[in-house]
Amino acid sequence: MSGTRDRGTSATVSDTAPEIFDRSARRHRRDRAARDYAEHDFLRATMLDGIAERLDAVTRGFTDILDLGCFDGAFAAPPGARVARCDAGFAFASGQAGVQADEDRLPFADGSFDLVVSAGVLDQVDDLPGALSLIRRVLRPDGLFLGAFVGAGSLPALRSALRIAERDRPAARLHPQIDVRSAGDLLMRAGFALPVADVETLDVGYRDLGRLFGDLRGMAASNMLAQRQVLTKDVLARTIAAFADAADPRGRTHETFQIVFLTGWSPDPSQPKPARRGSATASLGDALKR
């Protein structure tokens, strides 16, 4: 585990990835969130439930597991499995006796794990294609990757309120988001076999914008863009008013989180292969006519 809060632990995958996020600010926000994280963990808990369902559908066992972005260690490993915990934040990593490292700077040797699980962090990585490639590399042949993160279409109420508040001079205040189709393409680009990307929607009602901001800070998901701008008092007041104007008759403004789930396997000769193009012996048209 790194002995400092300001440095990662290994080399980057690519030196050409754009700097989207402030790595230092991200580590600081994760350390700040660590103490009271259990009060704001509903989003990651939903992700872990979805990952557990997908894992239950797999009939094989796993012995060496990487929990990538471990937060408070809530991921429950199968009985008898060995789990390595890794987090970009010093407090989360040290609290789980884990390794501090960014997802696109993994310090693990190739082929170290037969299962990698990542919930709630891959949407905050500068080099996501590189991070997925590293995940595939640390997996053994026929190893499984299960991931989940906040995807495109999330936080529409906050996004709308900010547009209203900053109609004349809008600023980038929310993180870029990846849609489910692009997520599937990234899995294939990273070299995963049998890639699957799907999305589930979580709706949450908020009585005021302060509650939403509190949850985002508490889950270490507040603005950490490298080019972020200060939210002035005037803009904040207009954003609060616009968010309140969107409330339902019960006084709750509904916010939506689109959770993208990823499933991919490290390639292995034993895995099923698609049929060779042109090898079919029956006509779909004839079958439909019958």
Side-chain angles (χ1 to χ4, degrees), residues 24-137:
S24 178
R26 185 185 181 214
R27 287 190 281 271
H28 173 73
R29 280 156 174 67
R30 296 187 76 76
D31 287 347
R32 181 182 64 184
R35 185 182 66 177
D36 300 318
Y37 179 70
E39 300 175 14
H40 307 278
D41 68 347
F42 68 91
L43 188 57
R44 186 167 188 264
T46 302
M47 295 179 185
L48 290 177
D49 286 345
I51 287 175
E53 291 177 4
R54 289 159 176 79
L55 190 56
D56 286 343
V58 179
T59 56
R60 57 163 290 185
F62 299 96
T63 58
D64 294 289
I65 301 173
L66 173 60
D67 181 8
L68 183 57
C70 64
F71 288 86
D72 57 353
F75 168 69
R82 295 180 292 271
V83 183
R85 310 279 184 181
C86 179
D87 199 278
F90 180 86
F92 282 131
S94 60
Q96 300 304 314
V99 175
Q100 184 190 10
D102 293 331
E103 294 78 7
D104 54 356
R105 298 180 175 185
L106 295 184
F108 306 104
D110 292 359
S112 297
F113 306 99
D114 49 20
L115 173 64
V116 175
V117 170
S118 179
V121 294
L122 292 178
D123 57 315
Q124 303 170 3
V125 178
D126 278 341
D127 187 6
L128 181 54
L132 290 173
S133 293
L134 280 178
I135 291 170
R136 197 256 308 156
R137 281 169 48 183

Side-chain angles (χ1 to χ4, degrees), residues 18-263:
E19 184 184 8
I20 301 171
F21 301 101
D22 183 333
R23 292 180 189 266
S24 178
R26 185 185 181 214
R27 287 190 281 271
H28 173 73
R29 280 156 174 67
R30 296 187 76 76
D31 287 347
R32 181 182 64 184
R35 185 182 66 177
D36 300 318
Y37 179 70
E39 300 175 14
H40 307 278
D41 68 347
F42 68 91
L43 188 57
R44 186 167 188 264
T46 302
M47 295 179 185
L48 290 177
D49 286 345
I51 287 175
E53 291 177 4
R54 289 159 176 79
L55 190 56
D56 286 343
V58 179
T59 56
R60 57 163 290 185
F62 299 96
T63 58
D64 294 289
I65 301 173
L66 173 60
D67 181 8
L68 183 57
C70 64
F71 288 86
D72 57 353
F75 168 69
R82 295 180 292 271
V83 183
R85 310 279 184 181
C86 179
D87 199 278
F90 180 86
F92 282 131
S94 60
Q96 300 304 314
V99 175
Q100 184 190 10
D102 293 331
E103 294 78 7
D104 54 356
R105 298 180 175 185
L106 295 184
F108 306 104
D110 292 359
S112 297
F113 306 99
D114 49 20
L115 173 64
V116 175
V117 170
S118 179
V121 294
L122 292 178
D123 57 315
Q124 303 170 3
V125 178
D126 278 341
D127 187 6
L128 181 54
L132 290 173
S133 293
L134 280 178
I135 291 170
R136 197 256 308 156
R137 281 169 48 183
V138 302
L139 281 169
R140 295 166 187 154
D142 203 32
L144 175 62
F145 166 57
L146 293 171
F149 59 86
V150 175
S154 298
L155 298 170
L158 176 57
R159 205 176 287 273
S160 176
L162 286 168
R163 280 198 302 267
I164 293 171
E166 299 182 297
R167 189 181 303 275
D168 297 329
R169 300 183 65 182
R173 302 199 183 278
L174 298 181
H175 299 167
Q177 297 173 344
I178 300 168
D179 63 34
V180 65
R181 176 176 293 184
S182 298
D185 291 341
L186 287 173
L187 280 176
M188 289 189 289
R189 176 179 169 184
F192 283 98
L194 310 174
V196 176
D198 59 291
V199 63
E200 296 181 6
T201 301
L202 179 65
D203 183 88
V204 183
Y206 286 98
R207 292 197 176 277
D208 56 67
L209 185 59
R211 299 285 183 90
L212 173 57
F213 279 168
D215 273 342
L216 292 177
R217 284 192 299 269
M219 64 178 71
S222 56
N223 189 351
M224 59 192 80
L225 293 172
Q227 304 299 324
R228 61 190 180 280
Q229 299 180 29
V230 174
L231 189 66
T232 65
K233 291 183 178 179
D234 290 344
V235 171
L236 177 59
R238 292 195 296 270
T239 305
I240 291 172
F243 192 82
D245 288 343
D248 63 17
R250 299 176 58 190
R252 292 181 178 272
T253 299
H254 290 266
E255 194 56 279
T256 301
F257 297 91
Q258 301 289 348
I259 303 175
V260 175
F261 288 93
L262 301 178
T263 304

